[in-house]
Amino acid sequence: MSGFSPAIASLIQALRVLPGVGQKTAQRMAFMLLERQRGGAEKLAASIEHALQVVGRCQQCRTLTEGEVCAICLDPQRAEQGVLCIVESPADVIAVEQTGEFHGQYFVLMGNLSPLDGIGPKDIGLDLLEQRLQQGHIQEVILATNPTVEGEATAHYIAESAARYQIDTSRIAHGVPVGGELEYVDHRTLGHAFQGRKKV
Amino acid sequence: MSGFSPAIASLIQALRVLPGVGQKTAQRMAFMLLERQRGGAEKLAASIEHALQVVGRCQQCRTLTEGEVCAICLDPQRAEQGVLCIVESPADVIAVEQTGEFHGQYFVLMGNLSPLDGIGPKDIGLDLLEQRLQQGHIQEVILATNPTVEGEATAHYIAESAARYQIDTSRIAHGVPVGGELEYVDHRTLGHAFQGRKKV
C-alpha cells in the first residue's frame, strides 16, 4: 500500500505535471499545501482556473496574453519603431524587456523549427510572420532565438524571409557573459566571443 | 513594466506558495501550464480543490486523510499489535510504511515542541497522545522523530509521559546509512553509530 488516501494520491499525481517536480517533491508540495498553506492552495487552484479561462495567444505576436492583442503590440510608440525582435517564448519577451534596451515589438515563435520532431514553419507561426514582413511596416528584424542548433536554423530561415523583403536583419551577440570569467566559459561561447570581437 | 498580463502575474504569484519555488521557477511553471499543459493544469486545479474539500486530520492519529479516521487506524490487525510509532509528519508515515518493518499504528505530531516559536505540547497533540496512552491498549511506543534538537526534546518529553503509564519506549537507531561511507558521514551521526554499536 502506498499509504496515501485517494485525494492526496491524485493531488500528488497532478502536481507532477509541473516542470522539474518528481514524486518526492510532489509529496512534499501536497503535504505542505494541505497542512500549512490551505489559503495559498485555494488561491493557486483559482489562479490556474482563471488563467486557463482568460489567457490565450496574442493575434499579432503569438505571446500569451489576455484579450486579443497584447499590451506591447497595442502600444503605438512601439509600433512606430518598426523593429521586430524574434524570440522563442513569452519568457524571452520578459527577459528582453528587463534589459530596457529594446523598444520595438516582438514576434514569439513558441518553439523552433525542428523537422525531425515534425515542427515546420507553420507550427511556429512563420506564415503569420511572413504576412507581417510583407506589410512593409517593419524596417528591422532582430533575431534573438537561442544559440542552439534549432535556434540557429530558425534564425537562418527567418533571415532569408526578411532578405526577400529587403529588411535589415541582425542576430543578437553571443559571447562571454558580463561578470563571467574566461576560464569557466565553454569553448563554443568563447569561439563566438572571438568571432564577434569589436574594435576598441 | 513586468510585461505579464494580470492573470499570468497572479498565477506566477500563486505558484510561489509551493516549497522551493522562486520567481523564475514560478514563471517557467506558469508558461508551461499555459502553453503546453492545459489539460494537466485543469486537473491540477481540480485536484487541489478536491483535496482541500475532503482531506482533514485523522481523529485518532492526526495524519492527513479523507474521512474521520485513516485506513491505518481502522485496521484491526494493526491495533492488535499494541505498538505506537511517533512521527513528525504524514510524509514520515509513508517513509516508515515503505520499509515494511512496522505493522503497528502511528501518531503524527505535525511538528515538534519548540517553546521559542510558541509551540507547546497541545499544539502537537500531546494531550491526545496522553489520553491514548492512558487507555492501556498501547504496550510499546517507538519514537521516530527526527534527530534534531527539537525532535530529540520532543522524544524525551513523550518518553517521560510513557514512563508514567509503564509503557516500553524505544528510540529508532541513528547511525551510518546503509550504502554510506564512514568518510562522508558527519561526526554527529558517526558518534551516534558508536554509541549505538551492537555485539556481533
Side-chain angles (χ1 to χ4, degrees), chain A residues 122-135:
Chain A
K122 275 198 180 171
D123 299 306
I124 58 170
L126 294 188
D127 47 343
L128 197 70
L129 177 62
E130 182 101 15
Q131 283 170 30
R132 186 97 176 264
L133 299 180
Q134 218 166 4
Q135 285 163 7

Side-chain angles (χ1 to χ4, degrees), chain A residues 53-75:
Chain A
Q53 264 175 19
V54 303
V55 175
R57 295 271 178 90
C58 169
Q59 290 186 348
Q60 194 171 327
C61 76
R62 287 172 42 98
T63 198
L64 292 170
T65 191
E66 291 157 66
E68 307 217 322
V69 179
C70 75
I72 293 177
C73 285
L74 283 174
D75 184 340

Side-chain angles (χ1 to χ4, degrees), chain B residues 16-96:
Chain B
R16 294 192 56 181
V17 78
L18 297 171
V21 174
Q23 177 70 18
K24 280 267 167 182
T25 310
Q27 272 181 36
R28 226 176 97 229
M29 287 177 166
F31 285 131
M32 211 214 52
L33 289 176
L34 293 169
E35 275 175 53
R36 275 174 292 143
Q37 290 282 4
R38 290 189 162 240
E42 223 156 282
K43 227 168 164 179
L44 176 57
S47 297
I48 294 172
E49 277 179 354
H50 179 65
L52 285 174
Q53 265 174 20
V54 301
V55 175
R57 294 273 177 90
C58 170
Q59 288 186 350
Q60 194 170 329
C61 77
R62 286 171 44 97
T63 196
L64 292 171
T65 191
E66 292 156 66
E68 307 217 321
V69 179
C70 75
I72 292 177
C73 286
L74 284 173
D75 184 341
Q77 287 193 321
R78 281 176 173 264
E80 247 172 47
Q81 303 260 335
V83 189
L84 195 64
C85 177
I86 317 288
V87 292
E88 291 179 13
S89 77
D92 295 338
V93 173
I94 307 303
V96 176

Side-chain angles (χ1 to χ4, degrees), chain A residues 1-8 10-11 14-15 17-21 27-29 31-35 37-38 40-52 54-56 64-66 72 89-91 94 97 110, chain B residues 1-8 10-11 14-15 17-21 27-29 31-35 37-38 40-52 54-56 64-66 72 89-91 94 97 110:
Chain A
M1 70 171 285
S2 81
F4 296 116
S5 69
I8 300 178
S10 63
L11 173 57
L15 282 163
V17 78
L18 296 170
V21 175
Q27 271 181 36
R28 228 176 96 229
M29 287 176 167
F31 285 131
M32 210 212 53
L33 289 176
L34 292 170
E35 276 175 53
Q37 289 283 2
R38 290 190 161 239
E42 219 156 288
K43 228 172 169 176
L44 176 57
S47 297
I48 294 172
E49 276 177 357
H50 178 65
L52 285 174
V54 303
V55 175
L64 292 170
T65 191
E66 291 157 66
I72 293 177
S89 76
I94 307 305
E97 282 298 293
M110 295 283 184
Chain B
M1 67 173 287
S2 80
F4 296 115
S5 69
I8 299 178
S10 63
L11 174 56
L15 282 163
V17 78
L18 297 171
V21 174
Q27 272 181 36
R28 226 176 97 229
M29 287 177 166
F31 285 131
M32 211 214 52
L33 289 176
L34 293 169
E35 275 175 53
Q37 290 282 4
R38 290 189 162 240
E42 223 156 282
K43 227 168 164 179
L44 176 57
S47 297
I48 294 172
E49 277 179 354
H50 179 65
L52 285 174
V54 301
V55 175
L64 292 171
T65 191
E66 292 156 66
I72 292 177
S89 77
I94 307 303
E97 283 297 293
M110 295 283 184

Side-chain angles (χ1 to χ4, degrees), chain B:
Chain B
M1 67 173 287
S2 80
F4 296 115
S5 69
I8 299 178
S10 63
L11 174 56
I12 292 172
Q13 198 52 39
L15 282 163
R16 294 192 56 181
V17 78
L18 297 171
V21 174
Q23 177 70 18
K24 280 267 167 182
T25 310
Q27 272 181 36
R28 226 176 97 229
M29 287 177 166
F31 285 131
M32 211 214 52
L33 289 176
L34 293 169
E35 275 175 53
R36 275 174 292 143
Q37 290 282 4
R38 290 189 162 240
E42 223 156 282
K43 227 168 164 179
L44 176 57
S47 297
I48 294 172
E49 277 179 354
H50 179 65
L52 285 174
Q53 265 174 20
V54 301
V55 175
R57 294 273 177 90
C58 170
Q59 288 186 350
Q60 194 170 329
C61 77
R62 286 171 44 97
T63 196
L64 292 171
T65 191
E66 292 156 66
E68 307 217 321
V69 179
C70 75
I72 292 177
C73 286
L74 284 173
D75 184 341
Q77 287 193 321
R78 281 176 173 264
E80 247 172 47
Q81 303 260 335
V83 189
L84 195 64
C85 177
I86 317 288
V87 292
E88 291 179 13
S89 77
D92 295 338
V93 173
I94 307 303
V96 176
E97 283 297 293
Q98 279 167 356
T99 67
E101 295 279 331
F102 180 72
H103 308 288
Q105 293 182 309
Y106 294 91
F107 189 84
V108 184
L109 301 170
M110 295 283 184
N112 264 317
L113 283 181
S114 182
L116 288 177
D117 303 319
I119 301 176
K122 275 198 180 168
D123 299 304
I124 58 169
L126 294 188
D127 45 345
L128 197 69
L129 178 62
E130 183 102 14
Q131 283 171 29
R132 185 95 177 265
L133 298 181
Q134 217 165 6
Q135 284 162 8
H137 302 307
I138 305 295
Q139 279 106 49
E140 191 188 343
V141 164
I142 299 177
L143 299 163
T145 54
N146 287 319
T148 55
V149 176
E150 291 89 358
E152 295 289 0
T154 308
H156 187 77
Y157 187 100
I158 296 170
E160 286 192 337
S161 281
R164 261 179 272 142
Y165 302 103
Q166 286 84 43
I167 297 171
D168 282 343
T169 306
S170 57
R171 180 100 174 89
I172 55 166
H174 297 112
V176 181
V178 178
E181 291 179 47
L182 246 61
E183 194 180 344
Y184 299 112
V185 166
D186 68 290
H187 70 274
R188 289 195 49 221
T189 301
L190 202 52
H192 272 291
F194 272 85
Q195 281 164 26
R197 67 189 180 279
K198 286 183 185 169
K199 273 213 165 143
V200 287

